[in-house]
Amino acid sequence: MSASKPHKAAMDDVVKGRFVRKPSAFRHKISSEPGARFAPEPNRYRLYVSLACPWAHRCLITRALKGLDEILPVTVVHHYMGSEGWRFVTKDEENIPERCEPEPLFGFKKIRELYFHAEPEYDGRFTVPVLWDTKHNTIVNNESSEIIVMLNGLFNDYAKNPHINLYPDTMQEQINEVAESFYNSFNNGVYRCGFAKTQEAYNEAFSELFGRLDILEEHLSKSRYLVGNSLTLADIRLFVTLIRFDAVYVLHFKNEQEAHHGLP
Ligand SMILES: N[C@@H](CCC(=O)N[C@@H](CS)C(=O)NCC(=O)O)C(=O)O
């Protein structure tokens, strides 16, 4: 049965010593078009996250800023990733970390079970965030950069802060362009350093990472935001990596040229 397939973790995605992240597999879109399979309805969807995960953190920030807490429930996995990936706490275990709860829809023990429920032959990684649809019992999307666009724009009828627009029509192209410019070197760059299997791959990722940090530093020393004069999804996409830089990546992924806490 598929749930017993060998586990695929990020560390396995290494080609010639270099960590190469595979694209996320579930890329459906919630849409307000009439007849859409995934319509924007309150309390129909659920977000599965790890509080340790920067990609999931993007979704939590967007959900909080838009005020979607009452219409988009969240389930937090245990922060320790075991040999079969993220797991849910069980109601009888001791020392349940704050905000973690047992999986409420199916009583699943692990995130991988959601993936196999959605796609029995699923053959990819079992990542968070997961945006789950309780109507069709499937994964809508597991790509944070797309989930945040949906959370920003499609639930305004139910959001506490519908007036906050983190992805204005006129700025979308620029937001995407800027966010793409630091994705591989920075957001993914910390992993490329951490998971590099050769010195050459590590050096390459390291120099791109700190090269990008310099460019970001230069921009943010003159402007509070990455695009325009207000907070956008580009800032959120950057922030989740920046905020972990000193605390996590410098030690954990050996990204240690200089700590950035002195930078803006
Ligand atoms: N492209 C995904 C990446 C998500 C991702 O890599 N999440 C990590 C946690 S930080 C994960 O769940 N990894 C599990 C694994 O590799 O087994 C996104 O941006 O949503």
Side-chain angles (χ1 to χ4, degrees):
M1 140 157 189
S2 34
S4 61
K5 280 182 188 167
H7 187 67
K8 282 183 197 253
M11 292 81 136
D12 300 331
D13 293 342
V14 172
V15 182
K16 293 193 183 146
R18 290 177 174 78
F19 171 61
V20 183
R21 186 180 289 274
K22 298 231 170 70
S24 306
F26 293 87
R27 309 299 280 267
H28 303 295
K29 301 277 160 62
I30 296 175
S31 160
S32 39
E33 293 291 310
R37 182 166 179 228
F38 300 106
E41 293 166 23
N43 289 306
R44 169 170 167 178
Y45 302 95
R46 174 171 290 269
L47 255 183
Y48 290 89
V49 299
S50 156
L51 298 182
C53 170
W55 318 99
H57 193 189
R58 294 169 164 186
C59 302
L60 290 174
I61 292 174
T62 309
R63 172 179 175 268
L65 290 174
K66 292 292 293 188
L68 299 176
D69 47 301
E70 283 174 20
I71 62 117
L72 178 65
V74 166
T75 298
V76 178
V77 299
H78 193 282
H79 54 265
Y80 183 75
M81 200 198 288
S83 62
E84 289 202 323
W86 300 114
R87 73 165 180 91
F88 300 102
V89 297
T90 55
K91 71 175 178 1
D92 315 313
E93 75 183 71
E94 287 175 13
N95 303 322
I96 293 181
E98 219 176 307
R99 295 183 62 187
C100 294
E101 56 166 13
E103 198 290 305
L105 302 179
F106 308 96
F108 285 154
K109 301 280 178 284
K110 296 179 183 130
I111 274 282
R112 53 167 33 222
E113 292 170 78
L114 284 175
Y115 278 84
F116 289 130
H117 195 85
E119 173 53 68
E121 297 307 316
Y122 181 70
D123 193 27
R125 288 170 50 206
F126 309 102
T127 56
V128 289
V130 168
L131 183 63
W132 183 265
D133 175 23
T134 61
K135 183 166 176 194
H136 295 302
N137 273 331
T138 193
I139 297 175
V140 181
N141 196 299
N142 68 337
E143 171 51 46
S144 61
S145 59
E146 295 178 356
I147 297 173
I148 57 180
V149 169
M150 295 186 253
L151 300 191
N152 175 69
L154 288 165
F155 293 90
N156 283 333
D157 287 350
Y158 323 105
K160 287 179 200 154
N161 303 318
H163 55 282
I164 293 180
N165 189 356
L166 303 161
Y167 196 55
D169 288 352
T170 54
M171 291 158 79
Q172 289 181 3
E173 211 172 308
Q174 213 189 339
I175 292 170
N176 294 343
E177 206 174 289
V178 168
E180 285 309 315
S181 75
F182 57 75
Y183 166 73
N184 200 41
S185 52
F186 200 71
N187 299 127
N188 195 36
V190 292
Y191 295 86
R192 288 171 56 221
C193 288
F195 297 149
K197 287 281 186 305
T198 64
Q199 188 63 40
E200 193 193 352
Y202 175 79
N203 292 349
E204 188 180 288
F206 183 93
S207 97
E208 283 180 37
L209 178 70
F210 281 93
R212 181 57 57 182
L213 189 59
D214 286 345
I215 295 170
L216 292 165
E217 158 70 355
E218 162 80 15
H219 182 98
L220 291 174
S221 58
K222 294 196 208 105
S223 165
R224 191 167 163 77
Y225 304 104
L226 285 170
V227 180
N229 298 318
S230 60
L231 188 79
T232 67
L233 294 183
D235 299 295
I236 295 173
R237 288 172 69 169
L238 178 66
F239 174 78
V240 294
T241 305
L242 266 186
I243 195 72
R244 286 167 174 76
F245 203 82
D246 294 354
V248 183
Y249 304 130
V250 168
L251 295 174
H252 202 59
F253 283 168
K254 308 177 193 68
N255 301 150
E256 51 191 331
Q257 176 167 292
E258 60 178 322
H260 93 288
H261 51 253
L263 310 180

